[in-house]
Structure formats: C-alpha cells, structure tokens
Amino acid sequence: MPRYTAPVRDMQFVLHDVLKVGEAGIPGYDDLDPATTRAILSEAGKLAQDVLAPLNRVGDAQGCVLRDGTVRTPDGFGAAFEQLRDGGWTALDCDPAYGGQGLPCLLATAVAEILSAANMALNMYQGLTHGACNAIQAHGSAAQKAMYLPPMIRCEWGGTMNLTEPHCGTDLGLIRTRAEPRDDGSYAITGTKIWISAGEHDLCDNIIHLVLARLPQAPEGVKGISLFLVPKILVNDDGTLGARNALACTGLESKMGIHGNTTCVMAYEGATGWLVGAPHQGMRAMFTMMNEARLGVGLQGYAQGEVAYQNARDFARDRLQGRAATGSATPDRPADPIIVHPDVRRGLMDQKALTEGARAFVFWGASLIDRARRCDDAQAEALISLLTPVIKGFLTDKGFETCVLAQQTPGGAGFTRDLGLEQFVRDARITMVYEGTNGIQSVDLVGRKLAADGGKPLMAFFDLVKDFIAQASGDAAFDAQFLSPLKAASGDLQTAAMFFLNKGMTSPNDALAGSYDFMHLFGHVCVGLMWSRMALAAHQGMEAGENSDFLTAKLDTGRYYMARHLPATKLHLARIESGAAPVMALDEAAF
C-alpha cells in the first residue's frame, strides 16, 4: 500500500525562511506565524495520511459508476468529502462575507498540495468548486453571490466549468451551445459539453455548472461567447432546492487515470440558466477560473511527483540487491540497499530536486497572487500572468517525469499494481493535458505573454533575477555553485526572448516551433532562481548556528539541480535558434 506523509518541514522552510512571509508586508501575512502554519499544515497532513491517502487506491480500482442518471463515487469518498467540508478545508481562502475563512492564497496552496498528493481525484471535486466560486465572485451579480456562494464555499453544492464540446476543444470560438432569452430574465441553455470534471456525482446536494454558450445573433468566434450559471437542481427564492433542471450526465469517460473523479458528457436540453457578467464577455469570466485552475494543475503535477518520490525512496532504502561499487555498505546483510547505487541515487536526486524546486516556485506564485489581490499590485498581477503558463506547463511535464522516475526506481516491481507507483504515473498524465495542453501553454507564453504591455513583465522578471544575484553575491563558493549558473541560464533566457521578439512578426513559425523549448527554458530559470533562494536561506541558517541535516540536504540538493538540470537551458536555446526549418521540413504525405 503506497504511503504519504505531508512534507511540513519543507513547507515551513519555504514559507518562513525563503519567502519570509512575516516580512512580506502583505495584508493577512502577519497571521502566518510559524506556529500557526505548522498547526494548520500538520492537521491537513493527518487528514491526508489517515483518511484521503488510503482511499486513493480504492478510487482507482472502483472508479465512478453512472446508473439511472446518477453517478456513484467510490466507497468512502462521501465520508471523506464530509470530513473535508466539516473541517473547513474547502473554504480556507474564500471570502468571509460568504462563509470563507479569508486566509491567504499561499496557505491554501500549501494545504492543496497536501490534499492533492494524498488523493488527487477526490480533491478535484472541491478544487473545481473553488474555481467556480472565484468566477461567480468576480463576475456575478450581488444576488447570484448571495444565493450561490455560501453553499458552494461550504461545498454543500459543487461547481464545474463547461467549455469543451464534441467538435471543438481549444478553439472555443467554434462552440455551438446556445442560450435563448426568456421573459423572466433567465435563458434556455441547449447543447452538449464533454470532459466535464465533477459534472455529476453524489458528494453534494447540488452542482452549479458554469457554461459557455452563444446568445442569438452573437458575434462569431470567441467575441460572441457568454457565461451562464446553470444549476443541476433549481434553487427557490428562499435558497431551498426545487425541481431538477433540464440537464443530465449522459456518459462517463473511460480514462487512463483519476478514476475516482467523474469526467462527464453533459447534455443541456433547454436547461434554465442565468447570465454571469455582461453578454459576450464569457471568455473573460471563464478565464478567472482557468488561470486559477492552471496554477492548481501545476501544483497537481509536482504533488503527484512528491508522493511517488516518497514511495520510491522508501523502496530504495529497503530493497537489498548487489553491493556498493566502493565496497559493502552493510557487510552484515546479504546485500546492500539499492540506494547505494549511483544510478538509483541519480533518479532519487532528480525526483527530490524537481519536487522541492517546484514547491518553492508554486508557493512564490501564490504569494504573487496574494500581493496582486491584497495590495492591488499591478506589477505582481502582470508577473504571475507571465509565469502561469510556465507553472502549468513546465511543472506538469516535470511532475510526470518525476512519477516515471519513481516508477523506474523499483524496476519491474514498479510496473505492477501491487506497489502502487503506476497509479501516480497514470494520474499525473492528465495534468499535461487539461486546462489547456502544455503545447497551448507554450504558445500562449510566446504568442501573448512575452510581448504583453510592451514586454514590461518579462523585463521585470529579468530585473528580479539580476537584483537577487547582486544582493546574494559575496561568498565565493556560493557564487560559483549557484549565482554563476543562474546568471548564465538567465542570459540564455534573454537570448531566446530576443529571438522570439525579433522573429514573431516576420516569421511566426520560427517563434512557434521553439515555444515549447522556451517554456522549459523559462521553467528551469525559475526553478534555478528558487533553488538559489533556498540555498541562500539554508546557508544563512547554518551561519546562524542551525547545523541541521535538513539544511545540509537542502544545499546538496540545490547544488545537484544547478549542476545537473539548469544546464538544460543551453540545449533548449540551441533548439529555439534552429528555427522552424527542421520542424516543418517534411511534406504532410511523408508522415
């Protein structure tokens, strides 16, 4: 049976030693003292370890069942979801005016990692509801907020986003779902949506669907899309539940992973819905959900890597096979544990370095969201907008890679279901696909985000790296091991960015052919920056007298990332500079 332990010590280090939340000057961060965050994260860890993680394999084995229009979730999911709801875990950073706790996004992000690592499929139900709440809060009317937010924040009612249709995915301008106005101010929603996560289930009393549709005579393309709130069960004026709406789940997808979460085909047959926000502004409203979802998916990617790594590490410590090349490490035993072998150690170091670097990157991103929202900081908003496709694309690619490395650690045993590592590989795979495939993330990054506001957010990022290097410089060994590699990698990123800015208008294929490599190049620089910041914090902690094994391991792991992973920026730059010719050379018939 796979196990999971919340990495509270590492989270505390990122929060208090690296991000220094107590000194951030962000409203609400004064409450995030070490004792408080440790207590919250430890309690989340207990719930994850004792309740959620044991159900992860149950959900995978049983899956969800559609019978007579109702979806039954796996055994134990209902009781576990009730514990999540009753413990207030679904409402940590929601608005207190509607029943939330009002805590910062950063703390909610740390908790989300714990819950997602323990049981990604189960945690998705409340995660999607959280995104729907944000969209309603940002764009809904006062009446809609008052009616729907309190029960959704409590997760008595669930929430979804409905974008994709059978004939179109990324190109939402092609959607056909229509919304016909009614005399009472509501709309009749008719159409079919596919791949709707949590579209139907038995965990909540109601499900509030946010549906993209077209009004009559709407402009063509994405400029003619509006957003509608469509409840599974209609809500009476007093907030009680009324009649069943004219919508149904007509099928469940047979999927590679996340079997415990429903992925539905939803049919709307004149269902009653209400406009959210202004007509033809649906994409703007929906992207309130999508941007948060993309950060959450990046988190899911490395969270699966974390739990996979923990189980691979434990196997490597226990499994006896062969002897260390330099002599027996355990002469009193018939063989040495496989963790003594350099290639096994390499795989584990890759997993540890990628996961811990990703955690710091996402936590930093969450702090930028808090700064943007709580301080009305436009620069923070611009920077996190730039980084969002990197967080989603790079970290899910690396999270999946981490799971594969973890599965490889036990050799043949990793390929069997008995050990449980293969589930993490299957579950992590979806993170590279949904909420916009990683290819789409890279095109968004290069095609839209780089040149946004005249390139100011990108320049701000380069300045941030430059300022950190200048401030951290002084120790020769630290400079050589961390700052010099970071400076070189940042230089590669700047060179690549200039290539795109120069080619974007005259040769768009040259830019787009290198977009995926640019996303990875950017991701490596971001994680390299985070490892440099973590190494500096560890170095300062040791100088202050804290000579702990944790800080020593942090420095060693950071050195590994800078030496073994960060040089990949040069490979990505070489690919980018090769342009579109090698990519586009073949005639279609030659494939």
Side-chain angles (χ1 to χ4, degrees), residues 62-335:
Q62 292 186 4
C64 299
V65 178
L66 174 63
R67 187 180 297 117
D68 299 326
T70 299
V71 171
R72 304 297 181 190
T73 52
D75 292 344
F77 270 42
F81 195 77
E82 188 173 348
Q83 289 193 51
L84 279 172
R85 179 170 53 221
D86 293 348
W89 297 108
T90 65
L92 288 177
D93 63 336
C94 296
D95 190 341
Y98 302 102
Q101 299 180 42
L103 293 169
C105 174
L106 174 57
L107 185 61
T109 297
V111 170
E113 180 198 321
I114 294 172
L115 303 181
S116 184
N119 195 321
M120 176 175 159
L122 177 55
N123 193 57
M124 285 174 62
Y125 291 101
Q126 66 99 2
L128 287 156
T129 303
H130 188 277
C133 287
N134 280 354
I136 293 170
Q137 176 134 15
H139 303 284
S141 66
Q144 288 170 342
K145 295 176 190 178
M147 175 73 78
Y148 295 101
L149 286 182
M152 291 179 72
I153 285 173
R154 293 192 300 268
C155 267
E156 294 172 1
W157 298 353
T160 72
M161 62 172 87
N162 284 233
L163 294 82
T164 307
E165 299 185 5
H167 62 284
C168 68
T170 300
D171 191 354
L172 292 174
L174 299 177
I175 68 170
R176 298 171 183 163
T177 300
R178 63 186 188 274
E180 297 288 341
R182 290 173 171 162
D183 293 340
D184 63 358
S186 68
Y187 295 80
I189 311 299
T190 302
T192 299
K193 299 288 186 177
I194 63 171
W195 302 338
I196 308 306
S197 299
E200 165 62 27
H201 56 82
D202 57 0
L203 301 179
C204 298
D205 297 332
N206 201 3
I207 301 173
I208 309 305
H209 300 284
L210 295 183
V211 183
L212 290 181
R214 291 188 178 281
L215 291 165
Q217 287 81 52
E220 294 294 324
V222 295
K223 293 182 179 180
I225 297 176
S226 301
L227 181 65
F228 298 87
L229 186 157
V230 189
K232 170 184 172 180
I233 300 174
L234 296 172
V235 182
N236 298 320
D237 291 341
D238 62 358
T240 59
L241 297 181
R244 175 70 185 247
N245 207 350
L247 61 91
C249 170
T250 59
L252 296 180
E253 300 292 348
S254 180
K255 301 173 295 186
M256 175 179 176
I258 55 167
H259 295 157
N261 192 272
T262 59
T263 305
C264 303
V265 178
M266 299 298 300
Y268 295 87
E269 300 174 350
T272 300
W274 288 268
L275 183 67
V276 178
H280 316 316
Q281 296 297 313
M283 290 300 295
R284 177 173 173 266
M286 186 62 84
F287 269 97
T288 300
M289 292 180 68
M290 290 292 288
N291 286 333
E292 176 190 327
R294 286 169 176 171
L295 291 169
V297 173
L299 179 149
Q300 286 178 336
Y302 83 81
Q304 291 304 291
E306 169 67 33
V307 65
Y309 161 67
Q310 290 187 17
N311 286 275
R313 177 197 61 200
D314 291 350
F315 185 96
R317 286 171 171 168
D318 295 338
R319 173 71 167 176
L320 303 181
Q321 188 166 303
R323 291 293 187 185
T326 55
S328 177
T330 55
D332 57 326
R333 304 172 78 180

